[in-house]
Protein backbone atom coordinates (compact mmCIF):
# COMPACT_ATOMS: atom_id res chain seq x y z
CA UNK A 1 0.00 0.00 0.00
CA UNK A 2 1.37 3.38 -0.97
CA UNK A 3 1.56 6.10 1.67
CA UNK A 4 -1.09 8.19 -0.06
CA UNK A 5 -3.57 5.29 -0.10
CA UNK A 6 -2.90 4.53 3.53
CA UNK A 7 -3.70 8.12 4.53
CA UNK A 8 -7.01 8.02 2.63
CA UNK A 9 -7.99 4.75 4.26
CA UNK A 10 -7.26 6.10 7.73
CA UNK A 11 -9.45 9.10 7.07
CA UNK A 12 -12.34 6.89 5.95
CA UNK A 13 -12.41 4.75 9.10
CA UNK A 14 -13.95 6.58 12.05
CA UNK A 15 -12.48 5.30 15.30
CA UNK A 16 -14.87 5.57 18.31
CA UNK A 17 -13.69 8.12 20.95
CA UNK A 18 -13.45 5.56 23.80
CA UNK A 19 -11.31 3.20 21.75
CA UNK A 20 -9.08 6.13 20.85
CA UNK A 21 -8.61 7.00 24.54
CA UNK A 22 -7.87 3.38 25.46
CA UNK A 23 -5.39 3.12 22.64
CA UNK A 24 -3.72 6.31 23.80
CA UNK A 25 -3.47 5.01 27.37
CA UNK A 26 -2.02 1.73 26.20
CA UNK A 27 0.46 3.53 23.98
CA UNK A 28 1.56 5.70 26.86
CA UNK A 29 1.97 2.64 29.09
CA UNK A 30 4.03 0.94 26.37
CA UNK A 31 6.17 4.06 26.02
CA UNK A 32 6.72 4.27 29.79
CA UNK A 33 7.73 0.60 29.83
CA UNK A 34 10.18 1.16 26.99
CA UNK A 35 11.74 4.23 28.61
CA UNK A 36 12.07 2.34 31.91
CA UNK A 37 13.76 -0.51 30.08
CA UNK A 38 16.13 1.86 28.26
CA UNK A 39 17.00 3.60 31.52
CA UNK A 40 17.71 0.26 33.16
CA UNK A 41 20.01 -0.74 30.29
CA UNK A 42 21.75 2.66 30.39
CA UNK A 43 22.19 2.30 34.13
CA UNK A 44 23.61 -1.21 33.69
CA UNK A 45 26.07 -0.07 31.05
CA UNK A 46 26.72 3.18 32.93
CA UNK A 47 26.24 4.77 29.53
CA UNK A 48 26.90 8.52 29.74
CA UNK A 49 24.17 10.65 28.17
CA UNK A 50 24.86 13.59 25.85
CA UNK A 51 24.29 15.84 28.87
CA UNK A 52 27.21 14.16 30.59
CA UNK A 53 29.39 14.59 27.53
CA UNK A 54 28.66 18.29 27.47
CA UNK A 55 29.39 18.90 31.12
CA UNK A 56 31.98 16.26 31.57
CA UNK A 57 34.14 15.54 28.55
CA UNK A 58 36.69 13.72 30.71
CA UNK A 59 34.18 10.96 31.56
CA UNK A 60 34.68 9.19 28.27
CA UNK A 61 37.72 7.00 27.92
CA UNK A 62 38.62 8.27 24.43
CA UNK A 63 40.09 11.56 25.67
CA UNK A 64 42.23 9.59 28.13
CA UNK A 65 43.24 7.21 25.37
CA UNK A 66 44.57 10.17 23.38
CA UNK A 67 46.58 11.42 26.37
CA UNK A 68 47.89 7.97 27.31
CA UNK A 69 48.96 7.36 23.72
CA UNK A 70 50.92 10.61 23.66
CA UNK A 71 54.30 9.04 24.34
CA UNK A 72 56.09 12.33 24.91
CA UNK A 73 53.55 13.40 27.52
CA UNK A 74 53.01 10.15 29.40
CA UNK A 75 56.65 9.12 28.94
CA UNK A 76 57.83 12.35 30.57
CA UNK A 77 55.80 11.65 33.74
CA UNK A 78 56.85 8.01 33.70
CA UNK A 79 60.53 8.99 33.60
CA UNK A 80 60.21 11.86 36.08
CA UNK A 81 58.56 9.56 38.61
CA UNK A 82 60.23 6.20 38.06
CA UNK A 83 63.74 7.61 37.61
CA UNK A 84 63.36 9.52 40.86
CA UNK A 85 62.28 6.61 43.04
CA UNK A 86 64.21 7.92 46.05
CA UNK A 87 61.97 10.96 46.04
CA UNK A 88 58.81 8.86 46.17
CA UNK A 89 59.91 6.17 48.62
CA UNK A 90 57.42 6.07 51.53
CA UNK A 91 55.96 9.46 50.62
CA UNK A 92 52.36 10.64 50.56
CA UNK A 93 51.49 11.77 47.05
CA UNK A 94 48.46 13.63 45.70
CA UNK A 95 47.50 13.17 42.04
CA UNK A 96 45.36 16.18 41.05
CA UNK A 97 42.99 15.08 38.25
CA UNK A 98 44.02 11.42 38.12
CA UNK A 99 41.94 10.43 35.06
CA UNK A 100 42.60 6.72 34.52
CA UNK A 101 45.02 6.72 37.46
CA UNK A 102 48.16 6.40 35.37
CA UNK A 103 50.30 8.92 37.31
CA UNK A 104 49.09 7.47 40.62
CA UNK A 105 50.22 4.04 39.52
CA UNK A 106 53.63 5.38 38.47
CA UNK A 107 53.93 6.93 41.95
CA UNK A 108 52.85 3.70 43.66
CA UNK A 109 55.31 1.75 41.53
CA UNK A 110 58.03 4.21 42.53
CA UNK A 111 57.45 3.32 46.19
CA UNK A 112 54.94 5.91 47.49
CA UNK A 113 53.35 4.91 50.79
CA UNK A 114 49.99 6.42 49.91
CA UNK A 115 48.61 8.10 46.79
CA UNK A 116 45.48 10.21 46.98
CA UNK A 117 44.03 10.27 43.51
CA UNK A 118 41.46 13.00 42.97
CA UNK A 119 39.14 13.09 39.99
CA UNK A 120 35.85 14.89 39.44
CA UNK A 121 34.69 13.11 36.30
CA UNK A 122 33.08 9.70 35.83
CA UNK A 123 36.33 8.14 34.57
CA UNK A 124 37.10 7.55 38.26
CA UNK A 125 34.87 4.45 38.07
CA UNK A 126 37.31 2.97 35.56
CA UNK A 127 40.31 4.28 37.54
CA UNK A 128 39.00 2.35 40.54
CA UNK A 129 38.85 -0.89 38.54
CA UNK A 130 42.24 -0.21 36.95
CA UNK A 131 43.89 0.39 40.31
CA UNK A 132 42.36 -2.82 41.63
CA UNK A 133 43.27 -4.80 38.52
CA UNK A 134 46.88 -3.78 39.02
CA UNK A 135 46.96 -4.59 42.72
CA UNK A 136 47.35 -1.03 44.04
CA UNK A 137 44.08 -0.67 45.96
CA UNK A 138 45.87 -0.58 49.32
CA UNK A 139 48.14 2.27 48.29
CA UNK A 140 46.01 4.39 45.94
CA UNK A 141 42.93 5.96 47.49
CA UNK A 142 40.56 7.44 44.94
CA UNK A 143 38.43 10.47 45.74
CA UNK A 144 35.53 11.25 43.42
CA UNK A 145 35.24 15.00 43.95
CA UNK A 146 36.20 18.35 42.58
CA UNK A 147 39.52 19.01 44.23
CA UNK A 148 38.24 22.34 45.53
CA UNK A 149 35.32 20.60 47.31
CA UNK A 150 37.36 18.16 49.37
CA UNK A 151 36.97 18.76 53.07
CA UNK A 152 39.04 15.87 54.42
CA UNK A 153 41.57 13.52 52.86
CA UNK A 154 41.19 9.75 53.33
CA UNK A 155 42.85 7.94 56.26
CA UNK A 156 43.07 11.16 58.30
CA UNK A 157 45.90 12.47 56.09
CA UNK A 158 46.38 16.20 56.64
CA UNK A 159 49.19 17.15 54.26
CA UNK A 160 51.00 15.53 51.35
CA UNK A 161 54.70 15.41 50.42
CA UNK A 162 54.36 15.57 46.64
CA UNK A 163 51.70 16.82 44.21
CA UNK A 164 51.72 15.36 40.73
CA UNK A 165 49.41 16.68 38.06
CA UNK A 166 49.09 16.89 34.32
CA UNK A 167 47.20 20.17 34.06
CA UNK A 168 48.61 21.70 30.85
CA UNK A 169 46.15 22.68 28.14
CA UNK A 170 46.33 24.14 24.66
CA UNK A 171 48.38 27.34 24.68
CA UNK A 172 49.43 26.06 28.12
CA UNK A 173 46.67 27.69 30.15
CA UNK A 174 43.49 26.56 28.36
CA UNK A 175 40.96 24.95 30.72
CA UNK A 176 42.47 26.80 33.70
CA UNK A 177 43.21 23.57 35.48
CA UNK A 178 46.28 25.23 36.90
CA UNK A 179 43.92 27.04 39.30
CA UNK A 180 43.10 23.64 40.79
CA UNK A 181 46.77 22.74 41.23
CA UNK A 182 47.41 26.10 42.92
CA UNK A 183 44.44 25.42 45.20
CA UNK A 184 45.71 21.90 46.06
CA UNK A 185 49.22 23.24 46.71
CA UNK A 186 48.01 25.94 49.09
CA UNK A 187 45.59 23.64 50.90
CA UNK A 188 47.30 20.26 51.03
CA UNK A 189 51.04 20.46 50.29
CA UNK A 190 53.46 20.24 53.24
CA UNK A 191 55.87 23.13 53.67
CA UNK A 192 58.87 22.27 51.50
CA UNK A 193 56.84 19.69 49.58
CA UNK A 194 57.33 19.14 45.84
CA UNK A 195 55.16 19.78 42.80
CA UNK A 196 55.81 17.80 39.65
CA UNK A 197 56.35 19.26 37.11
CA UNK A 198 57.67 22.37 38.84
CA UNK A 199 58.28 24.78 35.94
CA UNK A 200 56.67 25.72 32.67
CA UNK A 201 57.03 28.42 29.99
CA UNK A 202 54.97 29.75 27.09
CA UNK A 203 56.64 30.94 23.86
CA UNK A 204 55.69 32.77 20.66
CA UNK A 205 57.13 32.77 17.11
CA UNK A 206 56.11 34.26 13.78
CA UNK A 207 55.27 31.83 10.99
CA UNK A 208 54.03 31.46 7.46
CA UNK A 209 51.31 28.85 7.07
CA UNK A 210 51.37 28.24 3.32
CA UNK A 211 48.19 26.18 3.36
CA UNK A 212 46.25 28.94 5.02
CA UNK A 213 45.19 30.83 1.90
CA UNK A 214 45.11 27.87 -0.46
CA UNK A 215 43.27 25.40 1.78
CA UNK A 216 41.84 26.83 4.97
CA UNK A 217 40.50 30.09 3.51
CA UNK A 218 39.59 29.32 -0.08
CA UNK A 219 37.66 26.20 0.96
CA UNK A 220 34.83 28.53 2.04
CA UNK A 221 34.65 30.23 -1.39
CA UNK A 222 32.92 27.26 -2.91
CA UNK A 223 31.46 24.58 -0.65
CA UNK A 224 29.60 22.07 -2.78
CA UNK A 225 28.77 24.94 -5.12
CA UNK A 226 27.74 27.41 -2.37
CA UNK A 227 29.57 30.47 -1.00
CA UNK A 228 30.22 30.43 2.75
CA UNK A 229 32.42 33.49 3.07
CA UNK A 230 31.11 34.48 6.51
CA UNK A 231 32.98 31.52 8.06
CA UNK A 232 36.27 33.15 7.05
CA UNK A 233 35.80 35.86 9.66
CA UNK A 234 35.57 33.21 12.38
CA UNK A 235 38.95 31.73 11.44
CA UNK A 236 40.58 34.92 12.72
CA UNK A 237 38.70 34.91 16.01
CA UNK A 238 39.98 31.67 17.50
CA UNK A 239 43.47 30.21 17.55
CA UNK A 240 43.67 26.93 15.68
CA UNK A 241 45.22 23.97 17.47
CA UNK A 242 47.27 22.23 14.82
CA UNK A 243 50.75 21.02 13.94
CA UNK A 244 52.98 23.68 12.39
CA UNK A 245 55.92 22.27 10.47
CA UNK A 246 59.23 23.68 11.67
CA UNK A 247 59.94 24.88 8.09
CA UNK A 248 57.00 27.30 8.47
CA UNK A 249 58.69 29.17 11.35
CA UNK A 250 60.09 32.49 10.13
CA UNK A 251 61.44 34.03 13.34
CA UNK A 252 63.23 33.07 16.52
CA UNK A 253 61.02 32.49 19.54
CA UNK A 254 60.37 34.78 22.44
CA UNK A 255 59.34 33.76 25.94
CA UNK A 256 55.95 35.12 27.01
CA UNK A 257 55.54 33.70 30.47
CA UNK A 258 57.60 31.52 32.78
CA UNK A 259 55.97 30.00 35.79
CA UNK A 260 57.29 28.34 38.89
CA UNK A 261 54.60 26.03 40.26
CA UNK A 262 55.84 26.61 43.80
CA UNK A 263 55.08 30.30 43.74
CA UNK A 264 52.55 31.06 40.97
CA UNK A 265 49.23 32.57 42.01
CA UNK A 266 45.84 32.64 40.28
CA UNK A 267 46.33 36.37 39.61
CA UNK A 268 49.46 35.57 37.58
CA UNK A 269 47.26 33.80 35.02
CA UNK A 270 46.07 37.16 33.71
CA UNK A 271 49.05 38.81 32.10
CA UNK A 272 50.14 41.26 29.45
CA UNK A 273 53.74 41.06 28.27
CA UNK A 274 55.84 42.64 25.51
CA UNK A 275 57.72 40.41 23.06
CA UNK A 276 60.36 40.92 20.41
CA UNK A 277 61.07 38.66 17.43
CA UNK A 278 63.77 38.65 14.74
CA UNK A 279 63.15 37.13 11.33
CA UNK A 280 65.47 34.43 10.11
CA UNK A 281 64.67 34.87 6.39
CA UNK A 282 63.12 37.22 3.84
CA UNK A 283 59.58 35.93 4.08
CA UNK A 284 55.91 36.60 4.78
CA UNK A 285 54.36 36.15 8.20
CA UNK A 286 50.64 35.35 8.35
CA UNK A 287 50.36 33.96 11.87
CA UNK A 288 51.88 33.84 15.30
CA UNK A 289 52.30 30.43 16.85
CA UNK A 290 52.54 29.61 20.56
CA UNK A 291 53.94 26.50 22.24
CA UNK A 292 55.17 25.62 25.70
CA UNK A 293 57.72 23.69 27.71
CA UNK A 294 57.49 22.00 31.10
CA UNK A 295 60.23 20.75 33.36
CA UNK A 296 60.75 18.43 36.29
CA UNK A 297 64.02 19.78 37.66
CA UNK A 298 63.46 19.75 41.39
CA UNK A 299 64.80 16.17 41.40
CA UNK A 300 67.93 14.18 40.53
CA UNK A 301 66.83 13.00 37.10
CA UNK A 302 65.70 16.11 35.24
CA UNK A 303 63.00 15.74 32.59
CA UNK A 304 62.23 18.47 30.06
CA UNK A 305 59.51 18.52 27.40
CA UNK A 306 58.98 21.05 24.61
CA UNK A 307 55.90 21.26 22.41
CA UNK A 308 57.68 23.53 19.89
CA UNK A 309 57.44 22.84 16.16
CA UNK A 310 61.10 21.66 16.32
CA UNK A 311 60.23 18.95 18.82
CA UNK A 312 58.42 15.64 18.37
CA UNK A 313 54.64 16.00 18.03
CA UNK A 314 52.41 15.90 21.10
CA UNK A 315 48.62 15.93 21.47
CA UNK A 316 48.92 19.62 22.47
CA UNK A 317 50.24 20.41 18.96
CA UNK A 318 50.72 24.20 18.63
CA UNK A 319 48.26 27.10 18.78
CA UNK A 320 48.12 29.19 15.61
CA UNK A 321 46.87 32.78 15.68
CA UNK A 322 46.13 33.86 12.09
CA UNK A 323 46.63 37.53 11.24
CA UNK A 324 44.09 39.59 9.36
CA UNK A 325 46.99 41.78 8.31
CA UNK A 326 49.89 39.57 7.24
CA UNK A 327 53.20 41.26 6.47
CA UNK A 328 56.56 40.75 4.79
CA UNK A 329 59.88 40.83 6.61
CA UNK A 330 63.49 41.04 5.60
CA UNK A 331 66.11 38.69 7.06
CA UNK A 332 67.25 39.80 10.55
CA UNK A 333 64.50 42.39 10.79
CA UNK A 334 63.05 43.00 14.24
CA UNK A 335 59.37 43.17 15.17
CA UNK A 336 57.86 44.03 18.51
CA UNK A 337 54.54 43.15 20.07
CA UNK A 338 52.48 42.61 23.14
CA UNK A 339 50.65 39.45 24.20
CA UNK A 340 47.88 39.63 26.75
CA UNK A 341 45.86 36.76 28.07
CA UNK A 342 43.17 36.57 30.74
CA UNK A 343 40.34 34.19 31.66
CA UNK A 344 37.03 35.14 30.03
CA UNK A 345 34.66 36.79 32.47
CA UNK A 346 31.68 34.60 31.55
CA UNK A 347 33.53 31.31 31.25
CA UNK A 348 36.75 31.11 33.24
CA UNK A 349 37.84 28.00 31.36
CA UNK A 350 38.13 30.13 28.18
CA UNK A 351 40.75 32.81 27.60
CA UNK A 352 40.65 36.21 25.93
CA UNK A 353 43.87 36.90 24.10
CA UNK A 354 45.05 40.07 22.36
CA UNK A 355 48.15 40.23 20.20
CA UNK A 356 49.50 43.66 19.26
CA UNK A 357 52.38 43.80 16.77
CA UNK A 358 54.48 46.40 15.08
CA UNK A 359 56.96 46.19 12.21
CA UNK A 360 58.87 49.08 10.72
CA UNK A 361 60.83 47.19 8.11
CA UNK A 362 62.02 47.48 4.55
CA UNK A 363 58.90 45.82 3.08
CA UNK A 364 56.25 46.49 5.70
CA UNK A 365 55.35 49.31 8.01
CA UNK A 366 52.50 48.03 10.08
CA UNK A 367 51.03 48.41 13.54
CA UNK A 368 48.06 46.23 14.34
CA UNK A 369 46.12 44.49 17.09
CA UNK A 370 43.93 41.39 17.00
CA UNK A 371 41.63 39.82 19.59
CA UNK A 372 41.13 36.07 19.96
CA UNK A 373 39.09 33.77 22.16
CA UNK A 374 40.60 30.43 23.19
CA UNK A 375 37.69 28.04 23.79
N1 LIG B 1 46.31 12.46 35.22
C1 LIG B 1 45.66 11.88 34.07
C2 LIG B 1 44.59 12.76 33.49
C3 LIG B 1 45.03 14.16 33.07
S1 LIG B 1 43.74 15.14 32.35
C4 LIG B 1 46.71 11.53 33.04
O1 LIG B 1 47.82 12.02 33.14
O2 LIG B 1 46.41 10.78 32.10
C5 LIG B 1 43.17 16.09 33.69
C6 LIG B 1 42.14 15.40 34.58
O3 LIG B 1 41.84 16.29 35.65
C7 LIG B 1 40.81 15.13 33.88
O4 LIG B 1 40.47 13.77 34.04
C8 LIG B 1 39.81 16.05 34.58
O5 LIG B 1 38.51 15.49 34.72
C9 LIG B 1 40.46 16.23 35.95
N2 LIG B 1 40.11 17.50 36.62
C10 LIG B 1 40.07 18.74 36.09
N3 LIG B 1 39.73 19.66 37.00
C11 LIG B 1 39.55 18.98 38.17
C12 LIG B 1 39.18 19.38 39.50
N4 LIG B 1 38.94 20.66 39.77
N5 LIG B 1 39.08 18.43 40.45
C13 LIG B 1 39.31 17.11 40.15
N6 LIG B 1 39.67 16.67 38.91
C14 LIG B 1 39.80 17.59 37.93
Amino acid sequence: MSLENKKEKEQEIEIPKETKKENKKENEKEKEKETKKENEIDEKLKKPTSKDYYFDSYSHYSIHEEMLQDEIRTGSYCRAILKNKALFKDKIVMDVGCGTGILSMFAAKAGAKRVIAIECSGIIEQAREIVEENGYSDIIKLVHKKCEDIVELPDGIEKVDIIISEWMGYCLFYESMLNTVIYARDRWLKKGGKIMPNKSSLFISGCLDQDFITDKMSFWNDVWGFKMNCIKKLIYLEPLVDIIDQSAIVTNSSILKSIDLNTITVEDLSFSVPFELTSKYNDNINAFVTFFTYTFDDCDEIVFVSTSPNSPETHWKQSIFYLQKPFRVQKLERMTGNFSMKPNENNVRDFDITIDYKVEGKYSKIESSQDYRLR
Side-chain angles (χ1 to χ4, degrees):
M1 193 172 12
S2 81
L3 203 63
E4 284 304 299
N5 282 344
K6 194 176 170 224
K7 266 190 194 161
E8 276 165 24
K9 275 252 163 78
E10 275 172 2
Q11 276 164 1
E12 275 167 24
I13 307 165
E14 260 293 307
I15 306 167
K17 264 193 176 169
E18 279 310 303
T19 327
K20 259 190 188 171
K21 254 190 191 170
E22 274 166 24
N23 280 350
K24 205 179 160 199
K25 263 189 188 167
E26 262 178 31
N27 280 346
E28 275 173 7
K29 266 190 189 164
E30 270 305 303
K31 254 192 186 166
E32 251 174 50
K33 258 192 197 167
E34 267 174 32
T35 322
K36 208 174 155 206
K37 230 183 185 176
E38 275 170 17
N39 284 347
E40 276 170 9
I41 293 170
D42 276 0
E43 188 51 34
K44 268 191 199 144
L45 295 175
K46 281 258 176 258
K47 200 168 105 185
T49 63
S50 55
K51 194 169 143 228
D52 293 324
Y53 282 121
Y54 182 75
F55 288 111
D56 192 357
S57 62
Y58 281 106
S59 285
H60 196 267
Y61 73 87
S62 57
I63 192 164
H64 296 277
E65 185 177 13
E66 190 196 8
M67 292 188 288
L68 294 169
Q69 283 179 349
D70 181 342
E71 281 187 30
I72 304 291
R73 180 204 85 110
T74 312
S76 70
Y77 280 83
C78 179
R79 269 180 292 131
I81 298 171
L82 287 170
K83 296 235 173 198
N84 285 296
K85 280 193 179 141
L87 207 68
F88 283 85
K89 181 101 180 75
D90 294 330
K91 294 287 168 41
I92 299 175
V93 177
M94 177 180 273
D95 179 358
V96 177
C98 73
T100 52
I102 184 76
L103 309 185
S104 296
M105 291 190 292
F106 287 151
K109 202 170 172 185
K113 180 164 72 183
R114 195 48 103 246
V115 184
I116 299 154
I118 302 166
E119 174 59 52
C120 59
S121 84
I123 194 72
I124 194 144
E125 297 303 329
Q126 282 70 48
R128 198 158 269 131
E129 284 186 38
I130 292 167
V131 163
E132 197 171 330
E133 196 180 357
N134 289 280
Y136 287 120
S137 298
D138 289 344
I139 295 175
I140 302 173
K141 298 291 159 192
L142 293 127
V143 181
H144 188 186
K145 271 211 164 91
K146 231 182 127 188
C147 194
E148 293 82 345
D149 294 340
I150 295 173
V151 180
E152 268 180 11
L153 297 183
D155 301 338
I157 290 170
E158 292 193 340
K159 292 276 173 182
V160 303
D161 300 297
I162 303 174
I163 288 180
I164 49 174
S165 184
E166 196 278 82
W167 52 268
M168 294 79 79
Y170 301 129
C171 200
L172 186 58
F173 299 113
Y174 179 58
E175 287 190 331
S176 299
M177 208 196 138
L178 184 50
N179 290 10
T180 304
V181 178
I182 294 172
Y183 176 88
R185 177 197 70 196
D186 295 346
R187 177 71 184 85
W188 302 110
L189 188 64
K190 259 184 203 163
K191 226 174 172 227
K194 289 190 189 296
I195 308 187
M196 299 180 80
N198 60 313
K199 282 183 191 154
S200 186
S201 297
L202 179 67
F203 295 83
I204 191 165
S205 288
C207 75
L208 173 64
D209 181 358
Q210 295 275 14
D211 300 338
F212 180 62
I213 301 295
T214 47
D215 293 357
K216 290 182 186 123
M217 275 302 193
S218 53
F219 170 75
W220 301 104
N221 291 341
D222 177 358
V223 184
W224 295 83
F226 301 103
K227 287 179 259 182
M228 295 195 182
N229 281 308
C230 62
I231 305 281
K232 288 184 188 172
K233 277 182 269 170
L234 306 181
I235 295 177
Y236 291 112
L237 291 180
E238 286 175 36
L240 176 76
V241 175
D242 206 353
I243 293 292
I244 276 282
D245 192 86
Q246 55 175 308
S247 64
I249 300 295
V250 179
T251 70
N252 64 338
S253 58
S254 172
I255 207 160
L256 293 174
K257 182 90 178 158
S258 266
I259 62 168
D260 180 333
L261 273 288
N262 292 290
T263 53
I264 187 170
T265 62
V266 170
E267 291 72 45
D268 293 335
L269 300 181
S270 301
F271 60 91
S272 179
V273 287
F275 65 85
E276 199 179 299
L277 296 169
T278 305
S279 60
K280 294 198 252 182
Y281 324 100
N282 288 343
D283 214 335
N284 295 316
I285 290 181
N286 66 358
F288 287 110
V289 56
T290 63
F291 53 90
F292 62 88
T293 60
Y294 61 92
T295 318
F296 303 81
D297 68 2
D298 194 10
C299 45
D300 289 339
E301 280 286 326
I302 294 172
V303 175
F304 170 83
V305 170
S306 171
T307 65
S308 97
N310 301 322
S311 306
E313 219 175 288
T314 70
H315 80 289
W316 289 294
K317 303 179 181 175
Q318 285 89 36
S319 299
I320 312 166
F321 297 77
Y322 290 108
L323 299 174
Q324 261 166 331
K325 291 185 184 159
F327 55 92
R328 184 162 182 79
V329 284
Q330 189 183 211
K331 188 176 173 177
L332 295 179
E333 220 163 60
R334 205 173 66 99
M335 68 210 76
T336 54
N338 195 82
F339 186 94
S340 50
M341 185 167 187
K342 62 171 176 7
N344 181 268
E345 277 170 15
N346 298 322
N347 183 353
V348 289
R349 296 222 173 244
D350 294 352
F351 276 90
D352 293 328
I353 294 173
T354 302
I355 303 181
D356 304 322
Y357 57 96
K358 185 176 172 183
V359 195
E360 295 229 9
K362 182 177 168 196
Y363 302 114
S364 314
K365 294 200 187 340
I366 185 170
E367 185 164 5
S368 194
S369 177
Q370 207 170 315
D371 296 326
Y372 302 87
R373 174 90 172 265
L374 183 60
R375 60 178 158 190

